[in-house]
Amino acid sequence: MSGPPRADNRPPYARIAGHYRTLISSGELSPGDLMPSIKALATQWEVSTATADRAMRVLREEKLVQGIPGVGTEVMARPISLASGSERHDRSSKTQSAWGVGEKSSDHTAGIVEAPEDVAHVLGISPGDDVIRRSRVYRDAHGIVSHSTSWIPAEFAQVLPELARSERLKGGLSLDLIARATGRHVSKRADEEGARIATAHDLELLELEAGTVAAILVLTSQFLDEDGELLEYGVDLGAPGRTRRGLTEVPR
């Protein structure tokens, strides 16, 4: 049996910020909704205007709200966080779609190409050997979320020729199709995250102006079967400004 509710010992500004953070996260407050004025907040929460202003400053720093001159403070539409290949695989397993909320994919291209050196190293083949390359762009209302590339051993084109066709796959992700056609399921995954200044090629893939200086997140995922054989190597380039967010339960 649980005990009585724990007292909220946070400072008043943090309690106010937390209250509105919850309303925004739950959707009770929607993008474009106006927040109460600082004076109204101070009166409602029985705090000073300085405390109310500090609470709103916290929400602004978290990109949850923004000040509009002459209008007030409104709830912002938050860009979708950047998902890794593993998260998209998990999402597809549950919902039959790799898209996040508000996302769509476009610019699907595929073909059998010569493996670049870095990809060949991961796949355990020689640079220049054949490999299936599938790519697509994920977008939301704010623009490009990420450019995603799947590198798949060329042998799978023999049983699944659609993997090398420039069209959206039907029936799930490439890994779903491989599992059904060959019985080889993902048993292990190796994920890495890093950041770099976007190269000229990155800028082109993310549809950014040449010469732009921008930091991007690079997420890679290796999907292995139960024998440790690679089924797919995924590389996601996150558009500038996209974030990675994780939630961890902290034991008490």
Side-chain angles (χ1 to χ4, degrees):
M1 182 175 178
S2 60
R6 295 178 60 185
D8 190 341
N9 295 319
R10 292 176 297 173
Y13 82 87
R15 292 202 299 272
I16 298 171
H19 172 76
Y20 284 100
R21 186 185 297 112
T22 299
L23 293 181
I24 294 170
S25 298
S26 68
E28 190 168 340
L29 283 176
S30 303
D33 286 349
L34 289 178
M35 300 288 289
S37 67
I38 296 300
K39 183 177 180 180
L41 278 176
T43 299
Q44 177 185 346
W45 289 81
E46 299 181 346
V47 297
S48 67
T49 55
T51 295
D53 183 67
R54 186 176 181 185
M56 286 300 99
R57 188 164 66 247
V58 168
L59 297 178
R60 287 197 299 272
E61 291 172 350
E62 294 179 1
K63 307 297 184 185
L64 293 174
V65 302
Q66 63 180 345
I68 307 295
V71 177
T73 300
E74 71 170 16
V75 177
M76 293 178 63
R78 302 195 70 192
I80 295 175
S81 296
L82 174 62
S84 67
S86 292
E87 289 165 328
R88 293 191 185 282
H89 179 244
D90 288 342
R91 188 182 296 151
S92 178
S93 299
K94 297 175 182 177
T95 68
Q96 306 305 308
S97 173
W99 296 335
V101 177
E103 279 188 341
K104 293 294 181 183
S105 60
S106 63
D107 304 289
H108 290 254
T109 63
I112 296 178
V113 301
E114 295 182 355
E117 185 173 354
D118 58 331
V119 173
H121 175 74
V122 174
L123 269 64
I125 59 179
S126 299
D129 283 355
D130 284 349
V131 63
I132 301 171
R133 180 186 186 274
R134 295 192 57 82
S135 67
R136 80 289 295 167
V137 175
Y138 290 99
R139 306 174 189 269
D140 64 11
H142 304 273
I144 290 181
V145 177
S146 65
H147 182 281
S148 180
T149 302
S150 299
W151 300 94
I152 306 168
E155 64 192 72
F156 290 117
Q158 298 176 12
V159 291
L160 292 165
E162 59 266 42
L163 292 179
R165 296 177 188 149
S166 293
E167 56 189 36
R168 183 181 288 118
L169 294 174
K170 298 178 181 178
L173 299 177
S174 50
L175 288 165
D176 300 322
L177 272 62
I178 290 171
R180 288 198 292 269
T182 69
R184 296 172 63 183
H185 297 265
V186 176
S187 178
K188 299 177 183 177
R189 298 188 309 214
D191 300 326
E192 290 188 2
E193 298 182 17
R196 70 178 182 226
I197 298 299
T199 65
H201 186 52
D202 294 337
L203 295 176
E204 181 181 353
L205 294 177
L206 293 170
E207 300 177 11
L208 297 171
E209 185 177 347
T212 299
V213 178
I216 62 171
L217 285 174
V218 181
L219 314 178
T220 66
S221 300
Q222 296 180 43
F223 299 89
L224 311 170
D225 65 14
E226 61 182 7
D227 295 322
E229 296 294 325
L230 190 71
L231 298 175
E232 183 174 308
Y233 174 50
V235 180
D236 285 273
L237 306 178
R242 296 291 172 166
T243 61
R244 288 281 290 152
R245 184 181 182 188
L247 182 64
T248 303
E249 296 292 336
V250 179
R252 296 184 178 182

